[in-house]
Amino acid sequence: MKKILSIILALTFCFAAFSALAPSASAKSATISEREAKELVAKAYEFYCDAIVDSWIDNGNLVDYQSDDAFNIYNSELDRTLLYYPVYESKLPGGSYSEMREVVKEIYTDDLVADDRQISAYSWRKDSDDSYLNDNIFVPIYHVAENGKVYAQGLKDYADYSVFISATDPGYFYESFDGEIHLKIKSGDSKSATAFIIMGFYHGDSARSQYHGTVECKFENTADGWRIAESEFSVLMASSPLGLSVYRQLNPEETDPDVYKLTDFEAKYIVDGYIADYILERYCNYYQNYVDYAKSSQKEVKEIVKEITASDGSKHTMRYVEYQPGIYFLDDAWEYYLDNDFVKEHVLKAYRDNEFDMFITEGGTEYIAVLDEDDLLFVYDRDKALVEVIESTDTEATARVYCGLKKDGKVIPIYVECKFERFDTLIQWNLADSAFVDMVTSVDGFEYTVGEAPPTGDNAFDTIALCLGGIAIIMSAICLVCRKREIL
């Protein structure tokens, strides 16, 4: 009897486990896997970095901008003349122009390969007033002369933004996300699939945390395997965020509304950047960095104490230290995260006491209010904190930021409401006025809810655990009944 029960238990366990895993396993096997999708995306991005010429980021590594062997080619569609320079062909993907075109075949579908679309350019400026074309125009980046020499036009002046993703390290981005490609398969079957990818956009002097967005990527299963098909991602990998923006305007029916919504990852990336990068690393460390700077430069450490009497008669004291922008650009760094006049006014008040301004000028010297991490009423660990978006449209979003509250010598788990606003349908989510902004800019009371962050486990394995629990109860009952029968 015991042997039979053991067999029943083993079979039941296997059935329960496979039942829990079967839906996700069958779904993945029926379409492209997440691993395969990420590998293709990584290849496409690496090709973008190595083959799409941009004079600003290429900096002469691929194109010889100093060469006298350059010439103009008139483009009738643009009604403008483009300047082409010699290419260091050995630096192209595959080591030559012909091999580069073969590399494209391993990434994209035949229709994108046939017209060299992935090594052409979209969306050019047409007029001297920098107005943009209301269409996506393919402009040849490369030109092969009669003698076989390869040239490229390197002045890709439509590229207001360059793209970055964590698939590879191209060497010209100061930061990326976290070393991972953030991709989610949304739908698919054995012939085609659609995924969402979170992309970042490198703008100006750095990759700013709020310059990112979700991009739709379509895949097709060809005779040679899965390939990237025409979609938002392929457009982005052949042009710039401007090219993607024009593509969306021209193909509104092809754009999934969900790409405009804020994701949990993006929300946390912004919150991480503001708290960890700006508040903790820059502002809270400013005083010590300034003192070290003054000593190494053999300069006097300038500190002052300001005292005021508020309208209610209470007295306030604040310590200030000389502000040196060369240490940390605190006076404009917050603009990376905030784009709301009320919030800007709020954040430029001293954290310890909002009766004072963060920056003051006295005797021709600019000072900044001193802030230490111990002064903060909240605790935020970017490795443990959770940010959960609870609702989002294309322009507004609300999330919960799970962190800690310092109270009576203890840290209490809480969450605060954080709101976001976006003024561009492609990029730039910013923090908006909410309890979160109150928390990170003031010691005054802010609204919070006591509560632990929700668990982030695997649903399949949770199902298995529930199954096993139920099985254990059932088998215990069976064993008890059988034992009673043996006694009788």
Side-chain angles (χ1 to χ4, degrees), residues 399-430:
R400 290 174 178 171
V401 178
Y402 290 86
C403 53
L405 174 70
K406 297 177 183 177
K407 192 170 184 179
D408 300 328
K410 298 180 181 179
V411 177
I412 303 171
I414 63 168
Y415 67 81
V416 297
E417 183 181 81
C418 182
K419 291 186 179 294
F420 303 82
E421 294 178 350
R422 179 160 66 180
F423 305 98
D424 186 298
T425 55
L426 182 62
I427 55 173
Q428 198 164 337
W429 281 99
N430 295 103

Side-chain angles (χ1 to χ4, degrees), residues 115-170:
D115 59 3
D116 283 341
R117 195 177 307 185
Q118 293 312 121
I119 51 175
S120 296
Y122 294 76
S123 300
W124 276 69
R125 290 175 178 165
K126 184 177 181 180
D127 305 315
S128 58
D129 63 359
D130 290 343
S131 62
Y132 294 120
L133 291 172
N134 190 29
D135 197 1
N136 266 340
I137 292 179
F138 302 124
V139 178
I141 289 180
Y142 294 94
H143 171 77
V144 181
E146 292 182 359
N147 61 2
K149 192 170 183 177
V150 181
Y151 295 80
Q153 59 80 17
L155 303 178
K156 199 175 71 168
D157 57 356
Y158 61 86
D160 286 348
Y161 304 93
S162 295
V163 182
F164 77 92
I165 191 173
S166 296
T168 59
D169 180 15

Side-chain angles (χ1 to χ4, degrees), residues 343-408:
V343 175
K344 287 179 180 178
E345 182 180 348
H346 196 24
V347 78
L348 286 176
K349 292 293 184 178
Y351 179 84
R352 277 185 172 179
D353 191 332
N354 284 175
E355 294 287 338
F356 293 91
D357 291 328
M358 179 189 291
F359 294 95
I360 63 172
T361 300
E362 193 162 296
T365 300
E366 187 175 18
Y367 292 86
I368 183 172
V370 174
L371 176 67
D372 187 87
E373 190 169 344
D374 292 337
D375 297 327
L376 300 176
L377 287 184
F378 64 92
V379 175
Y380 185 90
D381 184 341
R382 71 189 307 165
D383 295 326
K384 298 178 181 178
L386 177 70
V387 179
E388 178 185 35
V389 176
I390 56 178
E391 59 180 348
S392 177
T393 66
D394 59 337
T395 57
E396 298 178 337
T398 302
R400 290 174 178 171
V401 178
Y402 290 86
C403 53
L405 174 70
K406 297 177 183 177
K407 192 170 184 179
D408 300 328

Side-chain angles (χ1 to χ4, degrees), residues 291-304:
V291 171
D292 294 342
Y293 156 80
K295 289 181 178 179
S296 63
S297 304
Q298 296 182 339
K299 293 184 178 181
E300 174 190 1
V301 174
K302 295 183 179 181
E303 294 186 48
I304 59 174

